[in-house]
Amino acid sequence: MGNDFSLSIRPRRLRRTKALRDMIRETTLSVKDFIAPLFIIYGKGVKEPIPTLPGQYRFSVDKIADEAEEIHSLGIPAVILFGIPEKKDSEGRISYADDGIIQRAVGEIKSRVPELHIITDVCLCEYTDHGHCGILKGNEVDNDRTLEILAKQAISHVRAGADMVAPSDMMDGRVAYIRRELDKNGFQDIGIMSYSSKFASAFYGPFRVAADSAPSFGDRTSYQLDPANAREAIKESLLDIDEGADIVMVKPALAYLDILKTIKEESLVPVAAYNVSGEYAMIKAGEQMGWIDGNRVMMETLTSIKRAGADLIITYFAKEAAGLI
Ligand code: PBG
């Protein structure tokens, strides 16, 4: 490079000042992107820390409205609820009881913070004594019998006041089945956010401790997706859209940003990403060890999920990130 060398194209010109960097930023996080997960446990007066998810708690029904109010006051528009019942059985019957844990929690939240959008996770794994996401026939999950229970559960959540249901079981045909049953019961205006591309992932480990939902034998590979399969994952989301899903989802988020991007490009519905428990726990652990700057890694992570195409991000960071936006 001699003295007469001159560069005419200099991308760094656009990075020179903060004002300019702010002007050309392509992706901006908003609190309105976030959905905060909440765990509701049986009992009274309970707010217990979840050891695998630092900063997250399990709340009893009488404590949940305070938390919901705080979430709402930060501008976060929605929560997604997970229940931990006292008793479980082989068919997860407690999951559709009128006085079940989620049904009561929904009532509490609705009466205190009616504007907060309540989504309920619809699945059997937290309610079955074997921890699988459906009803067993021998050692296998019986798809079609499971649909009936899932629909009962969804309807009971909506009767209690839920605004949207989110089936996370990965049974075939469950979106169409739940849609039909909701409509039959007069709930045609209640949306379905489908966990449409959900992988059999080790990143759910910390959640299963929180929700007490680990399978007692085997794993979930006969219903959740193989992490190696992109085309099959995209097919699942497109199928769920055909079945009537209002919002689709990719889960986990970070190891599957390629899937998220493709689904965003191939569909015309909002796409959610679930920034799952393992993704959260790893950042918290790295921060606790003093190895990474937790806040910066959190914001970079959430930004990457949005940049890849997420319209909505389900994240345990919702409250913390809201405080930094
Ligand atoms: C199933 C469900 C799971 C998660 C959300 N819904 C666990 C699983 O499939 O085993 C995981 C969420 C997370 O890891 O944060 N009801």
Side-chain angles (χ1 to χ4, degrees):
M1 293 208 190
N3 282 342
D4 58 348
F5 175 80
S6 84
L7 270 169
S8 57
I9 299 173
R10 291 179 178 271
R12 286 185 56 199
R13 280 185 204 122
L14 291 178
R15 296 178 212 140
R16 199 168 57 83
T17 66
K18 178 166 185 318
L20 192 48
R21 290 192 295 274
D22 286 347
M23 286 162 65
I24 63 154
R25 180 160 303 123
E26 297 174 35
T27 307
T28 315
L29 284 172
S30 156
V31 286
K32 302 300 174 201
D33 302 329
F34 299 149
I35 300 171
L38 287 176
F39 296 95
I40 335 278
I41 188 160
Y42 62 88
K44 263 209 165 97
V46 183
K47 180 184 176 183
E48 59 182 25
I50 300 169
T52 50
L53 294 171
Q56 304 295 310
Y57 298 84
R58 310 207 282 193
F59 299 91
S60 52
V61 171
D62 57 318
K63 291 273 188 183
I64 198 65
D66 288 345
E67 181 67 12
E69 198 161 45
E70 194 185 328
I71 288 169
H72 177 65
S73 73
L74 290 167
I76 298 164
V79 289
I80 182 164
L81 308 185
F82 300 93
I84 304 114
E86 188 164 14
K87 292 202 184 74
K88 309 188 183 212
D89 65 23
S90 63
E91 303 209 345
R93 289 183 187 87
I94 192 75
S95 72
Y96 53 85
D98 287 342
D99 60 349
I101 200 130
I102 292 295
Q103 291 79 356
R104 284 188 292 132
V106 168
E108 286 289 314
I109 297 171
K110 267 293 152 200
S111 61
R112 180 89 72 85
V113 230
E115 312 83 32
L116 190 65
H117 185 81
I118 305 181
I119 307 169
T120 56
D121 184 83
V122 170
C123 194
L124 292 192
C125 63
E126 295 126 55
Y127 304 96
T128 51
D129 48 18
H130 46 73
H132 277 287
C133 300
I135 295 175
L136 297 180
K137 198 192 277 141
N139 275 350
E140 291 192 7
V141 172
D142 184 337
N143 193 87
D144 298 10
R145 279 201 62 217
T146 300
L147 299 183
E148 294 168 25
I149 309 278
L150 292 170
K152 280 188 187 171
Q153 191 186 128
I155 287 165
S156 82
H157 290 171
V158 174
R159 276 215 179 98
D163 295 294
M164 183 171 270
V165 290
S168 68
D169 50 282
M170 286 300 280
M171 295 303 117
D172 291 335
R174 92 272 214 215
V175 172
Y177 195 95
I178 292 172
R179 181 72 270 155
R180 192 191 70 190
E181 294 301 306
L182 285 174
D183 291 354
K184 265 204 239 162
N185 284 274
F187 297 128
Q188 47 274 59
D189 294 331
I190 297 295
I192 299 177
M193 177 171 79
S194 169
Y195 285 72
S196 48
S197 299
K198 178 174 178 180
F199 290 86
S201 172
F203 285 98
Y204 307 151
F207 171 96
R208 290 184 188 167
V209 173
D212 186 27
S213 64
S216 60
F217 68 91
D219 56 30
R220 305 211 199 287
T221 48
S222 79
Y223 38 102
Q224 298 180 347
L225 288 160
D226 182 341
N229 292 358
R231 286 156 54 82
E232 190 187 4
I234 293 152
K235 177 174 91 178
E236 281 280 14
S237 277
L238 296 181
L239 253 178
D240 281 10
I241 294 169
D242 280 348
E243 290 185 26
D246 300 282
I247 299 176
V248 291
M249 191 198 301
V250 175
K251 177 186 174 197
L254 294 181
Y256 302 91
L257 294 182
D258 55 332
I259 313 288
L260 178 61
K261 185 160 198 273
T262 309
I263 292 174
K264 182 63 178 277
E265 288 165 356
E266 299 291 320
S267 71
L268 292 170
V269 298
V271 183
Y274 200 138
N275 176 213
V276 299
S277 58
E279 298 171 337
Y280 174 86
M282 289 195 303
I283 294 175
K284 287 291 173 193
E287 181 181 34
Q288 281 176 11
M289 294 300 286
W291 291 340
I292 56 169
D293 178 332
N295 279 345
R296 288 189 56 205
V297 173
M298 165 179 76
M299 296 311 268
E300 187 175 332
T301 297
L302 294 169
T303 301
S304 77
I305 296 170
K306 184 156 184 190
R307 191 194 63 229
D311 299 292
L312 299 163
I313 306 173
I314 303 171
T315 179
Y316 304 96
F317 288 121
K319 278 167 62 182
E320 264 181 278
L324 292 182
I325 285 173

